[in-house]
Amino acid sequence: METYRAFHQRSVTDREGFWREQAAAIDWHRPFEQVLDYSQPPFARWFVGGNTNLCHNAVDRHLQTRGDQNALIYISTETGQQTTYTFNQLHREVNRCAAVLQGQGLERGDRLLIYMPMVPEAVFAMLACVRLGAIHSVVFGGFAAHSLASRIDDARPKIMFTADAGMRAGKPVHYKGLVDEAIKLSAHPPQKVILFNRGIDVDLDMIAGRDLDYAALREHHLDAEVPVIWLESSEPSYILYTSGTTGTPKGVQRDTGGYAVALAASMQHIYCGKPGESMFTTSDIGWVVGHSYIVYGPLIHGMASVMYEGLPIRPDPAIWWKIVEEHKVSVMFSSPTAIRVLKKQDPAYLAKHDVSSLRYLFLAGEPLDEPTARWISDALKVPVLDHYWQTETGWALLSSVPGVEVIPPKFGSPGFPVYGYDVRLLHESTGEEIGANEKGVVTVVPPLPPGCMSTVWGQDDRFVQTYFTSVADRMVYTTFDWGIRDDDGYYFILGRTDDVINVAGHRLGTREIEEAVSAHSNIAEVAVVGVKDAIKGQVPMAFAVLKDTAKTATAAGRAAMEKEVFDVVDKALGPVGRPSRVHFVTLLPKTRSGKVLRRSIQAIAEGRDPGDLTTLDDPAGIEQVRSAISGG
Ligand code: AMP
């Protein structure tokens, strides 16, 4: 581990020298004057005074050297569409899109809210937006009107970019209606909605004066050349919302120069991709993994990015390996849930294609259990590397760095602190550093490295309060995850310290789901907990107290009520937030001070010992949970 250790050590003891070298991996229109300004902790400004642009680095700078090489390989097994864009063609489309957005008044610093399915136009819109120096906020297509509206009101976009529909498992997901509904709910609606019509929904209700057809606008700008707007390194590139313990999602704000440098360096040291090769990341552009490794990372590095719309098992469970073979994918990035889904299928599918082009399969987003890691490593005969990060960090915090030194992975461990991160495991209450094999909170001594969130959009105080105040006497960044380090220095993640749950790699706040459930007029009170699930890692489960119990006296009545709650949640949050079950009780287990004992509910739901119940106000609450779970 010597080489890795020395590399990591230098990154945190000689930050200036280390990151100055890494910054050479991107183009600077104007060189930076200072590597790091940390005069206002915990706010870090990287590459101060330098001017750059994400779109230039992802697209324009490759035109001379690899203009005719593939940049974006789009495959949809939902519609059967397959389209490939070279860097030249991507440049063309991004300029057309930028001209359209500029024509509708999008300027530097304005926000563009992108609510799109996995289509190339979503990538054009992201790149076009940053080209203009504007800030995108991509909202995952699985979120429904209420969630979308709260993000609109926080980001206050000038324009929204959307599509008629997405497709999932052969069924359309109607976007336009949701957008209309969200805008109705919003206090700060956008001036314009630009709609890319992929021809799934034919009868669209276009609102005169507000809604515009993308194809028609694009026609006017076929030869457009839109100059790049050079931004100072710390100017924001995007906002991406993530869930926390409160009901209101946080807008994670990312800078421009630091993010570009962090991604470029990670492509070399972590992912080991080479320019001209292809990378296949199976996430969605609505998540941080999609931002960093479907769009910006591979493109900045001169790689082709495979963008996939569809399920891993349709038309059959060999589809991903077929893509790897056809496009000679050298780096793949997926999630443990997807691998667990594949594990349930006939293993013969894995042997159907030649995947020898693959150098590594990376997994992240949720805990990777040992049997799944072992199964996929054996089946693929390719090194499988678990790595750990968060929307906040934008790139990996714990990982192997095979580009620096190849260290054999241990199943169940996402590896080691990545260069740039001064990771410490701290005792939950004393804040002292703990020793090997002891459980502590995973924290980072600031400044956070380039690429990490610069603040919470519009709420600097919330940034400091949420992430940097968990230890009384000093500032440390908390990840809200438990971790442990073994004698060999390998880290293991043991779950969240807060009420955030992780469903198939998607982070959800239990509070958000509780608010959605409470929107049903018959709900008096509700507690949502995350419960272990063999495929998705965790699923939300709700325990609700009803105002009127007359209709739920029978099993049929309870089923009908449960369905009504599902519908209410689908409408507010979208199917991502839907509880696996809603159990009806007449009392929730609470402490004498009125705090719901979520951890005890969770333990019972997972068949574990609920632990210390001495603070419980009325034991009947816990009994009700027990009997609801056992179907009583
Ligand atoms: P998100 O910001 O939605 O990507 O969620 C980040 C959270 O997912 C982390 O705080 C962890 O709780 C969890 N997570 C991400 N990657 C891993 C991993 N490799 N192992 C265990 N948990 C992970």
Side-chain angles (χ1 to χ4, degrees), residues 364-367 386-391 479 481 493 496 502 507:
E366 55 181 312
D386 180 13
H387 62 333
Y388 158 89
W389 47 298
Q390 313 182 295
T391 306
T479 60
D481 280 302
I493 295 293
R496 298 278 302 192
N502 194 316
R507 195 203 297 193

Side-chain angles (χ1 to χ4, degrees), residues 95-106:
N95 273 279
R96 290 168 179 161
C97 188
V100 167
L101 295 172
Q102 199 171 43
Q104 296 308 317
L106 194 75

Side-chain angles (χ1 to χ4, degrees), residues 10-23 32-38 45-47:
R10 181 172 172 234
S11 75
V12 292
T13 51
D14 174 21
R15 288 198 165 89
E16 307 260 330
F18 182 88
W19 287 108
R20 183 181 296 283
E21 282 167 21
Q22 304 303 323
F32 48 90
E33 290 147 18
Q34 195 184 348
V35 173
L36 169 66
D37 171 4
Y38 195 52
R45 292 179 63 217
W46 287 98
F47 311 115

Side-chain angles (χ1 to χ4, degrees), residues 101 115 174 176 302 331 407 413 418 458 461 569:
L101 295 172
Y115 184 67
H174 307 283
K176 175 64 165 76
V331 188
I407 301 171
S413 163
V418 171
D461 289 353
V569 177

Side-chain angles (χ1 to χ4, degrees), residues 270-348:
I270 301 177
Y271 299 101
C272 303
K274 298 201 172 79
E277 296 179 346
S278 340
M279 177 162 185
F280 178 18
T281 299
T282 68
S283 181
D284 185 286
I285 48 139
W287 306 116
V288 69
V289 175
H291 281 60
S292 293
Y293 296 108
I294 293 176
V295 185
Y296 295 111
L299 293 179
I300 287 175
H301 198 52
M303 290 180 81
S305 177
V306 177
M307 182 183 195
Y308 176 73
E309 182 187 52
L311 300 179
I313 49 169
R314 266 170 55 106
D316 65 51
I319 178 66
W320 282 0
W321 317 116
K322 181 167 181 267
I323 291 173
V324 168
E325 179 177 51
E326 272 174 20
H327 300 283
K328 296 198 172 46
V329 171
S330 64
V331 188
M332 190 164 166
F333 186 160
S334 191
S335 69
T337 289
I339 304 302
R340 286 192 289 263
V341 168
L342 292 175
K343 191 168 158 230
K344 288 185 73 181
Q345 316 295 321
D346 183 347

Side-chain angles (χ1 to χ4, degrees), residues 74-297:
Y74 177 69
I75 301 157
S76 171
T77 50
E78 295 288 350
T79 62
Q81 189 192 342
Q82 176 150 349
T83 325
T84 298
Y85 300 85
T86 62
F87 278 97
N88 280 329
Q89 288 165 331
L90 180 63
H91 182 253
R92 194 79 334 284
E93 288 302 337
V94 168
N95 273 279
R96 290 168 179 161
C97 188
V100 167
L101 295 172
Q102 199 171 43
Q104 296 308 317
L106 194 75
E107 291 175 14
R108 180 181 198 148
D110 287 342
R111 271 81 61 211
L112 174 74
L113 193 141
I114 300 175
Y115 184 67
M116 292 283 278
M118 287 286 281
V119 289
E121 284 69 16
V123 176
F124 306 157
M126 290 167 78
L127 292 166
C129 177
V130 294
R131 185 177 192 83
L132 296 172
I135 302 163
H136 58 67
S137 180
V138 183
V139 176
F140 176 60
F143 282 122
H146 177 83
S147 303
L148 184 54
S150 67
R151 286 153 176 81
I152 293 174
D153 284 343
D154 193 73
R156 304 201 183 178
K158 192 180 242 181
I159 302 176
M160 267 178 80
F161 200 96
T162 190
D164 54 338
M167 289 282 280
R168 195 170 160 78
K171 292 196 197 81
V173 182
H174 307 283
Y175 278 44
K176 175 64 165 76
L178 284 173
V179 167
D180 290 344
E181 214 181 311
I183 290 178
K184 262 192 221 132
L185 293 171
S186 157
H188 304 280
Q191 294 163 12
K192 301 280 179 209
V193 175
I194 300 177
L195 185 130
F196 169 63
N197 193 340
R198 26 183 344 205
I200 295 173
D201 275 351
V202 269
D203 281 330
L204 286 175
D205 202 3
M206 297 292 273
I207 295 177
R210 189 196 75 184
D211 297 351
L212 301 158
D213 179 65
Y214 179 64
L217 296 173
R218 178 181 166 278
E219 281 300 306
H220 298 296
H221 300 286
L222 293 180
D223 300 319
E225 297 272 354
V226 178
V228 158
I229 301 289
W230 299 106
L231 298 182
E232 199 278 336
S233 180
S234 293
E235 283 184 69
S237 56
Y238 70 75
I239 310 165
L240 183 56
Y241 287 90
T242 189
S243 299
T245 45
T246 64
T248 20
K250 284 182 288 283
V252 168
Q253 179 178 322
R254 199 85 62 205
D255 72 352
T256 296
Y259 187 53
V261 170
L263 294 184
S266 73
M267 292 306 299
Q268 208 185 326
H269 306 312
I270 301 177
Y271 299 101
C272 303
K274 298 201 172 79
E277 296 179 346
S278 340
M279 177 162 185
F280 178 18
T281 299
T282 68
S283 181
D284 185 286
I285 48 139
W287 306 116
V288 69
V289 175
H291 281 60
S292 293
Y293 296 108
I294 293 176
V295 185
Y296 295 111

